[in-house]
Amino acid sequence: MKMRILGGVLPLFVFIWVLQNKHGNCERPVVVNVGAVFAFDSVTGRAAKKAMELAVSDINGDPSILNGTSLNLIMEDSDCSVFKGSIGALQVIEKQVVAVIGPQSSAIAHMISFISNGLHVPLISYAATDPTLSSLQFPFFLRTTQSDQSQMEAVADIVYFYEWKEVIAIFLDDNYGRNGIAALNDALANKMSKISYKLPLPINYDITDIMYVLNQSKSLGPRVFVVHINPDSQLRFFNAVHKLKMNGSNYVWLMTDWFSTTLDSFSLKNRSFLSTLEGIISLRPYIPQTARKRAFLARWRKLQQNELVHSGLTAYGLYAYDTVWVVARSIDNLLQQGGNISFFLSNMTNGTTNDKLQLGKLKGFDGGGPLMNLLSLTNFTGLTGKIHFSHDRNLIGSGYEVINIAKQEIHTVGYWSNFSGLSVLPPKSLQNKETAVTRLNQNLKSVTWPGGKSETPRGWVIANDERPLRIGFPRRASFTEFVTLNASHNVQGYCIDLFYEARKLVPYDIPFRFVPFGSGLANPDYDALVSMVATDVFDAAVGDIAIVTNRTRMVDFTQPYVSTGLVIVAPIDTSESTALVFLKPFTLEMWGVTALSFLIIAVVIWILEHRVNEDFRGPPKRQITTMFLFSFSTLFKTNQENTISTLGRMVMVVWLFLLLVITSSYTASLTSILTVQQLASPITGIDSLIASNSFIGYQVGSFAYSYLKDILNIAPSRLKSLRSPEEFEAALRQRSGNGGVMAIVDELPYMELFLQNRTDFGIVGRPFTKSGWGFAFKKDSPLANDMSTAILKLAESGKLQEIHKKWFCQLGCPTARRKDSVIDQLHLSSFWALYLLSGAVTALALLIFLLKSIRQYIRYKRKHTDLSSPSNTRCSHVIYSFFDFIDEKEEAIKRIFAQQDSAQAQTNGS
């Protein structure tokens, strides 16, 4: 009986126990543990610690959240150490926390994120800004502050706004520093700027390390510094800047938000230290002004007055406060959705023992995944403004303030956001305006720069007194008029004078020193000189440096100050002109056609004028003389006879126009022949020089060698190097077959100087290349542009020509004796159209005359032929009769026709 009763009651007790356990599991826990790992005694940590304590107090005092469950914040000090931070994370996780807040260090965040991944404990950081903390690699990591990706884009926009092209980056040599600067490098590249030099600082740097890095930077050209380090309450960095006197007006200091965080952490009572920070620009996370924020600030100041907090409220303190609320709201949502606060024993510590940590007892959080999803879906307004996250679990921030230190005050000179760029208006007021971000619509208020200057610094310094510009120059052995080192070890020459004059027009000082290149015994290799500029042995090169393609790939050249090109110099014949030189302007064919034209014109004009002009009548001898004298006298416009007939005048108009063109062309050609020397060399140009297989000379160090060998494919065995004008002359006199050269190929300025006092040689043809001389600078050197502008000003003012006259025109300016090998004779092909026109007009006039004469002859014959007598119709008789008729004066014929017409009229009247 008892067994039956027991058998019936036992299932009832089991059922009640199950119900009680089930009901107990659905109840909210009394306490939820949340861990916090950060450096307590740090600029960021001091504000964050108190802010998180205030947040926990506010949450536990608010009945609308967690509904009776207390939030317990378990804090561990990382002491800015990756090792201690990792240990601290394990210690708080051992206490069964559902989430870990922090750390503020990106390096520690990387390490703890691996632990969070294994134990499914969400890690929420309010200060780890490293952009490589990716949600793909760390799915349990959430960032409640803005990523450095955004901050570096803001820095790049500032650099672009002020049109600086190069910056120097000084950064902490850890994940935070390196990855932040990598993001800056990408952002600057999108703005056509770059980081020229990267100078890392040790993690635990001191003032000695800072001064070492800054001393390194003083010898570099850029003067725009981007400093990306951790907040430092001692501001050691700027103590070093002040000691090294690097706070002058030519410096630009751009600070990331570590600097504004440091300033905000200081007490408002003492701002005298700001005088040493004059002109610095920094970014500060933009937090909109709201009533809640103002109330919290007042609450914070009261705590400061009561000495309950020893730090000013920083942006990261506000982010820390909101982070606790983000965690609390997400836990509340998890519990409301029926989630359990339960843990599982992790197998990631199998085989690992530690009495203090008891790693074997580490448990993972069952609700880690759901809680992480709820965290990423957060959407509410906190002290820092709207809090919501992007798909990669980064806070969608409000942007940054751009602050400037001036007159011991912190001034906001603008704002930056990813949708508006730089603006003088807060991002919130521009959020709904759709405007393309360009430099034209970017704006900042007036900025005070280091030294109290309002003028924007150039952002670079080519050189200074401590490290002057190293300018290499070719120490020439020949043609030293261009550049050389004289006996007094002073640099002089045409190129040097020009450099000095151009330097005067550059709007800033350029400390420099000349460094000779070459021994002075032979001309140096100019390609090697240019290469030394590209490899930073020299900062620039000044001299007679030709601008050619392979050199422009290595360096930047100024505007050419001399136009040049390769020319051919060969021996010329200085003998007297021949007696028949006047025949050379025309070809034989041209002379023949011209002479024939004179004869034709003589005959045609005689035919047209003989019947009407007394000057063309008389005895046969006189007529022949008149006919030819008239024709040739038209050449000199001395003819005494005038044309009377209309047809004759028409022919003469065209003929005289033809003579005008021919005589003008003849005069010009003869002048050219008489003033230019004839060549004694068979070389007529570069083509004949290549085909001749003769030896060719070139100047040592000139680019002519590489051009002849590589571009024109002339065998190196045909090329002879020559050191001086004396060697030029000797080689040309010896000729190619006697150990000399057939011709010399070199740049025009050298050859003009060579020919200045040598009449036995001349330039063949015209330059077959086009180039110029310029000064060489490193790639992207701003000085190249400024020197180009100066050279243009010298050319416009005439100063360039004055310098040229000073060096090369003391005994008369050098002129090239240049002669084409084949005389430019005038060919018939150049004038055939004129001859055709003159011939056509002449033929037409002759045809009209003949038709008119034949008509008169027929009329005359009809009147005088006796119809009763037999007529003589033989051809010869008709021709003779016709010639007899036209030999008569036209006036007499017209008189006969008039008498006949009168007699005929009288006969008809009777």
PDB file of all heavy atoms in Angstrom, residues 666-679:
ATOM      1  N   TYR A 666      65.453  85.937-108.244  1.00  0.00           N
ATOM      2  CA  TYR A 666      66.858  85.865-108.648  1.00  0.00           C
ATOM      3  C   TYR A 666      67.735  86.670-107.692  1.00  0.00           C
ATOM      4  O   TYR A 666      68.797  86.220-107.260  1.00  0.00           O
ATOM      5  CB  TYR A 666      66.994  86.386-110.079  1.00  0.00           C
ATOM      6  CG  TYR A 666      68.421  86.467-110.557  1.00  0.00           C
ATOM      7  CD1 TYR A 666      69.015  85.378-111.171  1.00  0.00           C
ATOM      8  CD2 TYR A 666      69.172  87.628-110.401  1.00  0.00           C
ATOM      9  CE1 TYR A 666      70.331  85.437-111.605  1.00  0.00           C
ATOM     10  CE2 TYR A 666      70.489  87.697-110.834  1.00  0.00           C
ATOM     11  CZ  TYR A 666      71.069  86.594-111.442  1.00  0.00           C
ATOM     12  OH  TYR A 666      72.357  86.653-111.865  1.00  0.00           O
ATOM     13  N   THR A 667      67.289  87.867-107.347  1.00  0.00           N
ATOM     14  CA  THR A 667      68.079  88.723-106.463  1.00  0.00           C
ATOM     15  C   THR A 667      68.276  88.064-105.096  1.00  0.00           C
ATOM     16  O   THR A 667      69.381  88.068-104.538  1.00  0.00           O
ATOM     17  CB  THR A 667      67.385  90.081-106.279  1.00  0.00           C
ATOM     18  OG1 THR A 667      67.201  90.686-107.562  1.00  0.00           O
ATOM     19  CG2 THR A 667      68.200  90.996-105.382  1.00  0.00           C
ATOM     20  N   ALA A 668      67.199  87.497-104.536  1.00  0.00           N
ATOM     21  CA  ALA A 668      67.300  86.842-103.226  1.00  0.00           C
ATOM     22  C   ALA A 668      68.230  85.647-103.272  1.00  0.00           C
ATOM     23  O   ALA A 668      69.056  85.438-102.367  1.00  0.00           O
ATOM     24  CB  ALA A 668      65.909  86.415-102.759  1.00  0.00           C
ATOM     25  N   SER A 669      68.127  84.845-104.306  1.00  0.00           N
ATOM     26  CA  SER A 669      68.961  83.657-104.416  1.00  0.00           C
ATOM     27  C   SER A 669      70.418  84.024-104.601  1.00  0.00           C
ATOM     28  O   SER A 669      71.311  83.425-103.987  1.00  0.00           O
ATOM     29  CB  SER A 669      68.479  82.791-105.581  1.00  0.00           C
ATOM     30  OG  SER A 669      69.275  81.635-105.706  1.00  0.00           O
ATOM     31  N   LEU A 670      70.697  85.018-105.441  1.00  0.00           N
ATOM     32  CA  LEU A 670      72.082  85.436-105.669  1.00  0.00           C
ATOM     33  C   LEU A 670      72.690  86.022-104.392  1.00  0.00           C
ATOM     34  O   LEU A 670      73.859  85.777-104.076  1.00  0.00           O
ATOM     35  CB  LEU A 670      72.133  86.464-106.801  1.00  0.00           C
ATOM     36  CG  LEU A 670      73.529  86.960-107.190  1.00  0.00           C
ATOM     37  CD1 LEU A 670      74.387  85.788-107.666  1.00  0.00           C
ATOM     38  CD2 LEU A 670      73.429  88.036-108.263  1.00  0.00           C
ATOM     39  N   THR A 671      71.887  86.768-103.636  1.00  0.00           N
ATOM     40  CA  THR A 671      72.368  87.312-102.365  1.00  0.00           C
ATOM     41  C   THR A 671      72.767  86.198-101.406  1.00  0.00           C
ATOM     42  O   THR A 671      73.801  86.272-100.737  1.00  0.00           O
ATOM     43  CB  THR A 671      71.280  88.189-101.728  1.00  0.00           C
ATOM     44  OG1 THR A 671      70.936  89.239-102.634  1.00  0.00           O
ATOM     45  CG2 THR A 671      71.753  88.787-100.416  1.00  0.00           C
ATOM     46  N   SER A 672      71.935  85.157-101.336  1.00  0.00           N
ATOM     47  CA  SER A 672      72.225  84.029-100.456  1.00  0.00           C
ATOM     48  C   SER A 672      73.512  83.333-100.871  1.00  0.00           C
ATOM     49  O   SER A 672      74.341  82.981-100.038  1.00  0.00           O
ATOM     50  CB  SER A 672      71.054  83.040-100.472  1.00  0.00           C
ATOM     51  OG  SER A 672      71.357  81.896 -99.723  1.00  0.00           O
ATOM     52  N   ILE A 673      73.677  83.175-102.172  1.00  0.00           N
ATOM     53  CA  ILE A 673      74.873  82.478-102.660  1.00  0.00           C
ATOM     54  C   ILE A 673      76.129  83.283-102.378  1.00  0.00           C
ATOM     55  O   ILE A 673      77.175  82.749-101.999  1.00  0.00           O
ATOM     56  CB  ILE A 673      74.718  82.202-104.170  1.00  0.00           C
ATOM     57  CG1 ILE A 673      73.617  81.151-104.395  1.00  0.00           C
ATOM     58  CG2 ILE A 673      76.034  81.720-104.775  1.00  0.00           C
ATOM     59  CD1 ILE A 673      73.248  80.965-105.837  1.00  0.00           C
ATOM     60  N   LEU A 674      76.054  84.584-102.546  1.00  0.00           N
ATOM     61  CA  LEU A 674      77.227  85.432-102.362  1.00  0.00           C
ATOM     62  C   LEU A 674      77.601  85.625-100.900  1.00  0.00           C
ATOM     63  O   LEU A 674      78.733  85.980-100.593  1.00  0.00           O
ATOM     64  CB  LEU A 674      76.984  86.800-103.016  1.00  0.00           C
ATOM     65  CG  LEU A 674      76.903  86.798-104.552  1.00  0.00           C
ATOM     66  CD1 LEU A 674      76.553  88.184-105.057  1.00  0.00           C
ATOM     67  CD2 LEU A 674      78.206  86.311-105.177  1.00  0.00           C
ATOM     68  N   THR A 675      76.630  85.429 -99.966  1.00  0.00           N
ATOM     69  CA  THR A 675      76.914  85.677 -98.541  1.00  0.00           C
ATOM     70  C   THR A 675      77.155  84.408 -97.746  1.00  0.00           C
ATOM     71  O   THR A 675      77.491  84.477 -96.567  1.00  0.00           O
ATOM     72  CB  THR A 675      75.739  86.431 -97.890  1.00  0.00           C
ATOM     73  OG1 THR A 675      74.533  85.703 -98.095  1.00  0.00           O
ATOM     74  CG2 THR A 675      75.617  87.817 -98.468  1.00  0.00           C
ATOM     75  N   VAL A 676      76.962  83.248 -98.311  1.00  0.00           N
ATOM     76  CA  VAL A 676      77.162  81.978 -97.608  1.00  0.00           C
ATOM     77  C   VAL A 676      78.292  81.219 -98.271  1.00  0.00           C
ATOM     78  O   VAL A 676      78.349  81.127 -99.483  1.00  0.00           O
ATOM     79  CB  VAL A 676      75.867  81.130 -97.618  1.00  0.00           C
ATOM     80  CG1 VAL A 676      76.105  79.832 -96.875  1.00  0.00           C
ATOM     81  CG2 VAL A 676      74.736  81.907 -96.989  1.00  0.00           C
ATOM     82  N   GLN A 677      79.185  80.669 -97.467  1.00  0.00           N
ATOM     83  CA  GLN A 677      80.349  79.959 -97.994  1.00  0.00           C
ATOM     84  C   GLN A 677      79.947  78.603 -98.562  1.00  0.00           C
ATOM     85  O   GLN A 677      79.004  77.964 -98.089  1.00  0.00           O
ATOM     86  CB  GLN A 677      81.360  79.745 -96.864  1.00  0.00           C
ATOM     87  CG  GLN A 677      81.862  81.010 -96.221  1.00  0.00           C
ATOM     88  CD  GLN A 677      82.722  81.816 -97.163  1.00  0.00           C
ATOM     89  OE1 GLN A 677      83.207  81.284 -98.162  1.00  0.00           O
ATOM     90  NE2 GLN A 677      82.904  83.074 -96.861  1.00  0.00           N
ATOM     91  N   GLN A 678      80.700  78.179 -99.558  1.00  0.00           N
ATOM     92  CA  GLN A 678      80.495  76.859-100.136  1.00  0.00           C
ATOM     93  C   GLN A 678      81.195  75.809 -99.285  1.00  0.00           C
ATOM     94  O   GLN A 678      82.254  76.074 -98.721  1.00  0.00           O
ATOM     95  CB  GLN A 678      81.054  76.823-101.554  1.00  0.00           C
ATOM     96  CG  GLN A 678      80.319  77.704-102.535  1.00  0.00           C
ATOM     97  CD  GLN A 678      78.914  77.186-102.774  1.00  0.00           C
ATOM     98  OE1 GLN A 678      78.722  75.979-102.812  1.00  0.00           O
ATOM     99  NE2 GLN A 678      77.975  78.072-102.937  1.00  0.00           N
ATOM    100  N   LEU A 679      80.605  74.632 -99.181  1.00  0.00           N
ATOM    101  CA  LEU A 679      81.211  73.546 -98.408  1.00  0.00           C
ATOM    102  C   LEU A 679      82.327  72.880 -99.198  1.00  0.00           C
ATOM    103  O   LEU A 679      82.207  72.670-100.398  1.00  0.00           O
ATOM    104  CB  LEU A 679      80.154  72.494 -98.061  1.00  0.00           C
ATOM    105  CG  LEU A 679      79.085  72.952 -97.082  1.00  0.00           C
ATOM    106  CD1 LEU A 679      78.042  71.885 -96.951  1.00  0.00           C
ATOM    107  CD2 LEU A 679      79.700  73.281 -95.759  1.00  0.00           C
TER     108      LEU A 679
END
